């Protein structure tokens, strides 16, 4: 719609926002009317109309099998559009049109904002299945007529009340029509069922909806007053009411077709099962986060015990081996700490990489600068945990063997993410140092060093990637990892 309005019309950005607000609401008008809606806006030169949006009803057959958005029609071809635009009134004159042997009643509703008519809604009703209307259908049609008059007057939609059509109740979920005093004059079967879920034993018709709703909700004080006001339809609001083990969602729409409030529509939906499942998911998420938190605490306890044992070791080699184990355990604990703060099993690995770099840099024998370039991005826990260990081993190996005591240098970790967001995306990770370099005849695929064995096992076995160590120019060592960014199934 944005592109069509900006390309073909003279409407301002604030006008466009009003049209967006209208389109966010007009599924309700379509369902209440049992009709298709097409929004036509005059072009910049005033000689044609362009259709910028379309809506089909959920309550009846469509009048348009094809998509109408983007169509251009010359002024004069559809007289009802011209009359509604020029006179600023709803136009219903004319006999039904026949489209592919289907009779269609056509009406035009001007879309007004601040006294100006921005466009026209063509309301097209398929008359092929017309029958004697029921009480529900009559209430729907009367409500649709009231909303259409409010659109023509510029009082609907309500400014600042943009609706999420997926989350908000719809006409078919449950509808109640209230008079000016907030008394229910009609309640659809679904609306009555929703209130029975709250514990209502009587009929809704004739009841003051606000008072009845407040009595069913187990709250007291100011909250009661707010529920009474909302359920009485005095203002365009949404809320949820819980009682008797049930939860219903309410949306109030004041009706002012001629500027004076004559009553309101209240849409309702039974969301009891939806909220129950959401609570279960929240409980599950909280449990998972608590598990990660406890795993992190246990790993930190293990690291502390290893650190204490290292201090009691007489052998320098044994002490250093235990310190290496402390860092390995610490790298896994960092991942679990990050997971304990998330709602899912995915982590922003850049933060983890920075913490691993800082942890390993503490063992630097001299003034070695460690830094990261590029972005790892968001990774699944199945990738993040082994990758944190791999990064720890490679950095530890570089700082221990590439530089002598007191020697300065640089270690850089770079990450390049390809195919971001795709299942086949990959991570190319390079760890480059400017230290002494690899010894002659060194083969990283055969070296018996425990750290390199861990790297090979994790990269090739668990992550499904490749690992290599090369001489860097003019000096130093380059380690290259190429791994899938998603877990291998």
């Amino acid at each position: 719609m944005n592109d069509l309005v900006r390309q073909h019309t003279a409407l301002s950005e604030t006008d466009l926002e009003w049209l967006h607000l209208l389109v966010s609401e007009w599924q309700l008008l379509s369902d209440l009317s049992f009709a298709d809606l097409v929004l036509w806006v005059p072009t910049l030169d005033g000689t044609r109309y362009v259709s910028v949006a379309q809506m089909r009803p959920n309550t009846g057959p469509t009048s348009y099998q094809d998509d109408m958005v983007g169509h251009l029609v010359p002024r004069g071809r559809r007289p009802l559009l011209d009359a509604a635009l020029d006179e600023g009134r709803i136009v219903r004159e004319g006999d039904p049109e026949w489209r592919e042997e289907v009779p269609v009643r056509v009406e035009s509703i001007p879309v007004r904002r601040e006294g100006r008519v921005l466009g026209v809604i063509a309301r097209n009703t398929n008359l092929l299945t017309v029958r004697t209307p029921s009480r529900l259908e009559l209430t729907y049609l009367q409500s649709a007529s009231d909303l259409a008059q409010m659109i023509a007057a510029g009082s609907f939609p309500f400014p600042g009340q943009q609706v999420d059509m997926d989350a908000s109740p719809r006409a078919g979920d449950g509808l109640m029509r209230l008079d000016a005093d907030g008394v229910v004059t009609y309640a659809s079967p679904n609306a009555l069922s929703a209130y029975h879920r709250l514990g209502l034993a009587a009929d809704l018709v004739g009841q003051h909806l606000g008072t009845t709703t407040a009595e069913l909700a187990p709250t007291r004080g100011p909250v009661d007053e707010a529920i009474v006001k909302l359920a009485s339809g005095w203002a365009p609001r949404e809320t949820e009411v819980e009682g008797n083990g049930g939860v219903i969602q309410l949306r109030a729409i004041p009706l002012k077709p001629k500027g004076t409030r004559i009553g309101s529509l209240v849409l309702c939906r039974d969301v009891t099962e939806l909220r129950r499942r959401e609570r279960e998911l929240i409980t599950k998420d909280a449990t998972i986060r608590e598990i990660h938190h406890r795993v992190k605490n246990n790993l930190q306890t293990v690291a502390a015990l290893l650190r204490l044992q290292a201090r009691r070791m007489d052998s320098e080699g044994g002490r250093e081996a235990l310190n290496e184990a402390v860092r390995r355990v610490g790298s896994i604990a960092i991942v679990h700490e990050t997971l304990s703060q998330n709602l899912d099993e995915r982590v922003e690995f850049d933060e983890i990489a920075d913490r691993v770099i800082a942890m390993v840099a503490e063992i630097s024998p001299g003034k070695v600068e460690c830094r990261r370039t590029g972005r790892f991005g968001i990774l699944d826990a199945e990738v993040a945990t082994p990758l944190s260990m791999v990064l720890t081993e490679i950095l530890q190996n570089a700082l221990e063997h590439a530089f002598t005591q007191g020697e300065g240098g640089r270690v850089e970790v770079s990450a390049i993410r390809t195919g971001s967001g795709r299942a086949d995306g990959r991570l190319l990770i390079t760890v480059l140092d400017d230290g002494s370099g690899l010894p002659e005849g060194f083969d990283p695929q055969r070296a018996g060093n425990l750290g390199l064995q861990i790297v090979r096992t994790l990269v090739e076995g668990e992550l499904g990637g490749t690992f290599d160590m090369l001489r860097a120019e003019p000096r130093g060592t380059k380690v290259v990892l190429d791994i899938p960014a998603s877990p291998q199934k």
Side-chain angles (χ1 to χ4, degrees), residues 212-235:
T212 300
T213 304
E215 290 173 352
L216 295 171
T219 56
R220 294 294 179 267
V223 177
D224 270 358
E225 295 177 9
I227 290 176
V228 170
K229 188 172 183 179
L230 184 143
S232 299
W234 286 95

Side-chain angles (χ1 to χ4, degrees), residues 143-197:
S143 302
S145 177
D146 293 336
L147 288 178
Q149 291 184 55
M150 292 170 66
I151 292 173
S155 58
F156 188 83
F158 304 108
Q161 294 289 325
Q162 187 156 356
V163 173
D164 182 352
M165 289 190 294
D166 293 328
S168 185
R170 298 191 179 189
D173 296 323
L175 179 143
M176 292 167 284
R177 176 90 184 208
L178 278 57
D179 65 16
D181 296 323
V183 176
V184 179
T185 59
Y186 176 79
S188 71
N190 284 346
L192 188 59
S193 297
Y195 267 79
H196 284 167
R197 190 72 177 264

